[in-house]
Amino acid sequence: MELRIVLRALLRSWPAVLVCTLLGVGTAWAATAFATPVYQARTQLFVSAQSGATDIAQLQQGNAFSQARVQSYASIVTSRQVAEGVVRMLRLPTTAEQLAGSITAEAPLNTVLINVAVSDTDPDRAAEIANAVALRFSEVVERLETPRGKSPKTHSPVKIGVTDAATPPTAPVSPRPMLNTGMGLLAGLFLGGAIAVLREALDTTVKTTETLAEHTGLPVLGAIPFDRKSASLPPAVGALGHSPRAEAFRHLRTNLKFTQVGQRSSVIVVTSAHPGEGKTSAAMGLALSLADSGTSTCLVDADLRRPRIAAAFGLVPDAGLASVLISQAEIEEVIQQTGQLSVLTSGPIPPNPAELLASDRMHEVLDQLAARYETVIVDSAPLLPVADTVGLAPLTQGVILIAQAGKTPRDRIIAASESLHKVGVHTLGAVLSMAPVPNRMAGGHGSTYGYGDPTGTEQPVTAPRPRASATAGSEA
């Protein structure tokens, strides 16, 4: 994994890294605070050969003999014979095996020295045991090296002497607060970093416009930032029309016009792979921005399963597109105005939305709207859960595909793009909604779609109070 990806993962998951670091330091501190102090007493033994040598050659031979033996003697220090003798000598409340586990011995190379260390929770007892080990070890070695039937005092070829007797230690060897805290800090950082990188590796959602373009092969027309304040206000109308969100819709409007060079009018569907990804907010914001620029625009709510535009703009919901499709009303009778924007709401929810939206009558309605307006923005149902948009999209001039940053998985947006391609629909481009802004990332997940399903609620964009036509009021 590239360094920049790791750094980006750490920045995105810094709360988890911080929590793990604090947890590691806290655990180390608790372990240190509640641990029983352990003291270590040390003694040093000297191994010499008792050869009675008087010349240098014999002394060197005896020294070579001692060095050859000393490595083996170091292992005897922790043997059962030594430990059992010390337990009996000091009447310790422990077993020989437990005592042997608290004794360590090492013999530095090319020396005849043996360093013995004994660990215990009591410093005085640690020193007492260390000195007893030295005494018992001397007895065991001298006895092992003495020929059978001879006295160890007079016939042992080696002699064990103590060069440094053990004294009670003044400070414990464990716990070690600084070392434990440092290890806890490193462990916490490592755990937090591992979690951050793992989350990044397992997260398959689209987060940037670059990844959106890479996985769909579509031009990215814009990125709509998440803003709690401007999300509840008109994004491109009035004094508040200079927010980052409003500017993003202007940018989208400009890019959209470049895709329609030479066209007198166009009907554009705005959809997404799954519900709750910001398609309705994007459709409303784009339509308001177009209308604010002087383009005659009509916004159509063709999501006949979960319509939201009427409620968002405060319009009359009882008559709309469905009424026109079943020949209960004409377009002029149900079109409503909100500022400079014309809105055709969904009307009553029909039992067969997919069939209505793919019908010849829907084609006629779109042609009539295209003849009256320069741009018609159609908010349609999500692509993957239902077939409504797949039937509707071929009747229009193009589709804008919405993906929500940090929510829409790559495989879903790819599947949505492919479903449009299979039916020969011209996809104008993709838009990243709820795009991240500094220190914030929009989130949330929706999974189902149907009549009255409350999941995947989108952030609505409100607008000025409507100016409904008289006929629309009478239909209501």
Side-chain angles (χ1 to χ4, degrees), residues 1-21 185-201 203 207 439:
M1 184 175 292
E2 297 180 7
L3 179 60
R4 64 180 183 85
I5 298 178
V6 174
L7 294 177
R8 184 175 62 192
L10 294 176
L11 289 175
R12 285 177 175 168
S13 301
W14 69 264
V17 176
L18 178 61
V19 169
C20 289
T21 302
L185 176 65
L186 292 177
L189 287 173
F190 178 79
L191 178 61
I195 292 175
V197 172
L198 183 62
R199 285 180 59 185
E200 185 74 15
D203 187 1
K207 297 184 181 66
N439 298 325

Side-chain angles (χ1 to χ4, degrees), residues 4 15 31 46 87 123 154 203 213 224 264 268 311 370 419 441 471:
R4 64 180 183 85
F46 181 84
V87 170
T154 58
D203 187 1
I224 310 301
R264 187 185 65 83
I268 300 170
S419 67
M441 171 71 77
T471 55

Side-chain angles (χ1 to χ4, degrees), residues 383-398:
L383 279 163
L384 300 184
V386 292
D388 301 12
T389 303
V390 175
L392 169 64
L395 308 179
T396 66
Q397 277 72 54

Side-chain angles (χ1 to χ4, degrees), residues 135-155:
L135 179 60
R136 178 59 182 168
F137 168 71
S138 300
E139 296 174 353
V140 171
V141 171
E142 290 175 359
R143 187 174 67 250
L144 291 174
E145 294 287 5
T146 301
R148 182 174 296 180
K150 302 296 183 179
S151 172
K153 296 294 184 181
T154 58
H155 294 83

Side-chain angles (χ1 to χ4, degrees), residues 208-230:
T208 64
T209 54
E210 291 78 8
T211 56
L212 180 59
E214 176 184 354
H215 290 93
T216 61
L218 300 173
V220 177
L221 302 177
I224 310 301
F226 174 72
D227 189 335
R228 292 184 184 277
K229 294 181 180 179
S230 63

